[in-house]
Amino acid sequence: MFADRNVPLTPVSALGEFGLIDRLTEGFPLSSAVEVGIGDDAAVMDILPGEKEVISTDLLLEGIHFDLTYVPLQHLGYKAIAVNVSDIVAMNAEPVAVTVSIGMSSRFTVEALEALYEGIRMACERYEVSLIGGDTSSSKQGLIISVTAIGRVKEKDMILRSGGQPKELVCVTGDLGSAYAGLLILEREKVTYAKNPEWQPDLQSYDYVVGRQLKPEARLGLMRKFQDMGIRPSSMMDVSDGLASEIHHLCRKSGCGATLFASKLPLDEQTGKVASEFQISPITFALNGGEDYELIFTLPLDQFDKLAELPEVSVIGHLTSDPHVIQIILESGQAVDIEAQGWEHFPKTEEA
């Protein structure tokens, strides 16, 4: 976990709960919207008239959402903040503050938790949000991280999943499937390492996809660019569970169907390389991979020309009037129903 294993490490019991909180959160800045941060019974934020407070919570569990065999704690801390900020951005809101609660087993030292919070601090600085509170607890096993993100948006500017209309364009930012490609590479290297602990992985040729898995970024800068350019999506959400799941969510809320085109899905070259190595279609990566944290949104046709100035945005299809038909047109011309196969924590089981 650390380069120098001879440095003495500090058990959490040496500081106690409140001493640990003080040490981990020292130096975190407060934004202008935060009146009271860590140290009171609750944080206080000043929200102006006509503005809405937007709140999102995410839970990360060791062994379910991350594997510390190959996930550095700094990266984990950064990712925990970024994925929550992404939810706020998907509402067209500005992130303001976060709370972070952790449960950790006795195997985690103070230095390990400092590494985690260093990543949290870096993400807070990157997205200009304040860490305003949280909680710490012991855990019987592993590491648990719960993050709540708080944002604000003018009521007239808020974008929901329910605003899409038939014939509107379906667009995505960035590229899709790369985070899943990175996960496959890391899992493959983990298996190799388990067989030969002396072996050193060489991930240089997979740097992009591995980076997309370990350190995703919320699309805050692009949303600000949308606002500057007068681009107003009619509906929007982030791609956390895979494009297939998200287009179903968006269509269900908007009461529409959709037609997507496989040839229009944005795929990075490294993603294609990994797909080939694992003998999986890159379209499968894009549809069902998840954890890309790009934005999927719908756009009225009269705003199409504005997209010419945004090479990081791809038009991948359009909404239709039949909410029962959500399909993708393959390069062969065949139309295939899109099934939501993204991650589910509690998948439905067939009744006996």
Side-chain angles (χ1 to χ4, degrees):
M1 194 176 293
F2 298 98
D4 188 352
R5 298 182 182 273
N6 296 318
V7 175
L9 301 177
T10 311
V12 172
S13 59
L15 299 181
E17 179 182 1
F18 297 108
L20 176 65
I21 293 171
D22 289 341
R23 179 159 169 175
L24 295 178
T25 61
E26 182 181 3
F28 278 78
L30 295 181
S31 72
S32 59
V34 178
E35 293 185 9
V36 179
I38 296 172
D40 216 306
D41 289 305
V44 178
M45 296 198 307
D46 181 23
I47 303 297
L48 300 175
E51 285 192 342
K52 294 292 186 181
E53 185 178 90
V54 180
I55 302 172
S56 178
T57 298
D58 219 5
L59 187 64
L60 300 175
L61 304 176
E62 184 178 356
I64 301 294
H65 301 99
F66 60 88
D67 186 335
L68 291 179
T69 304
Y70 52 73
V71 177
L73 284 166
Q74 276 192 348
H75 287 70
L76 178 60
Y78 190 99
K79 182 174 183 176
I81 301 302
V83 301
N84 278 272
V85 168
S86 182
D87 284 332
I88 301 300
V89 171
M91 304 288 290
N92 200 34
E94 282 284 334
V96 173
V98 294
T99 66
V100 178
S101 297
I102 59 172
M104 64 281 186
S105 65
S106 59
R107 87 174 195 266
F108 290 92
T109 63
V110 170
E111 287 75 14
L113 296 175
E114 283 183 321
L116 176 72
Y117 270 75
E118 174 63 16
I120 291 172
R121 184 190 62 77
M122 291 172 63
C124 286
E125 291 180 352
R126 167 73 173 82
Y127 297 113
E128 300 175 348
V129 299
S130 302
L131 177 64
I132 60 171
D135 195 13
T136 58
S137 174
S138 61
S139 170
K140 290 288 187 181
Q141 184 176 1
L143 178 63
I144 303 166
I145 306 171
S146 177
V147 177
T148 296
I150 304 164
R152 60 184 182 185
V153 60
K154 292 181 180 178
E155 187 171 3
K156 65 180 181 62
D157 293 333
M158 188 164 53
I159 299 176
L160 306 178
R161 299 178 182 182
S162 56
Q165 298 293 325
K167 299 183 180 180
E168 289 186 337
L169 305 173
V170 177
C171 309
V172 294
T173 64
D175 62 86
L176 301 174
S178 52
Y180 181 63
L183 178 62
L184 288 181
I185 293 300
L186 290 168
E187 287 287 345
R188 184 176 70 183
E189 303 306 294
K190 174 186 173 181
V191 171
T192 304
Y193 177 78
K195 295 177 180 178
N196 180 15
E198 301 300 321
W199 178 81
Q200 292 296 318
D202 181 9
L203 300 175
Q204 186 173 353
S205 59
Y206 305 103
D207 57 343
Y208 177 71
V209 294
V210 169
R212 290 273 285 172
Q213 170 59 218
L214 295 180
K215 190 174 174 287
E217 296 286 357
R219 281 292 192 170
L220 179 58
L222 187 57
M223 282 311 303
R224 289 172 174 169
K225 189 180 293 186
F226 281 6
Q227 294 161 7
D228 292 342
M229 297 174 62
I231 294 176
R232 166 74 183 193
S234 55
S235 65
M236 185 163 59
M237 63 183 299
D238 72 341
V239 182
S240 56
D241 295 326
L243 178 63
S245 291
E246 316 308 10
I247 191 63
H248 272 269
H249 290 315
L250 192 148
C251 286
R252 184 172 66 251
K253 288 292 186 179
S254 293
C256 296
T259 297
L260 307 184
F261 297 90
S263 62
K264 300 297 183 181
L265 299 184
L267 297 163
D268 184 78
E269 182 178 349
Q270 279 190 20
T271 303
K273 175 184 176 182
V274 175
S276 177
E277 290 179 11
F278 283 83
Q279 298 183 336
I280 302 173
S281 168
I283 302 302
T284 299
F285 280 41
L287 289 176
N288 302 314
E291 290 200 292
D292 290 311
Y293 299 102
E294 297 292 350
L295 296 172
I296 176 173
F297 61 95
T298 57
L299 197 68
L301 288 171
D302 60 9
Q303 297 190 49
F304 172 73
D305 291 343
K306 297 178 181 179
L307 297 180
E309 301 178 40
L310 295 171
E312 61 267 66
V313 173
S314 301
V315 178
I316 62 171
H318 58 269
L319 294 183
T320 63
S321 58
D322 187 347
H324 302 293
V325 179
I326 301 173
Q327 61 183 3
I328 185 168
I329 308 300
L330 303 180
E331 295 193 39
S332 65
Q334 180 184 5
V336 178
D337 289 339
I338 297 175
E339 297 184 10
Q341 297 180 4
W343 174 260
E344 286 190 57
H345 290 279
F346 307 104
K348 294 181 181 179
T349 57
E350 296 293 334
E351 294 184 1

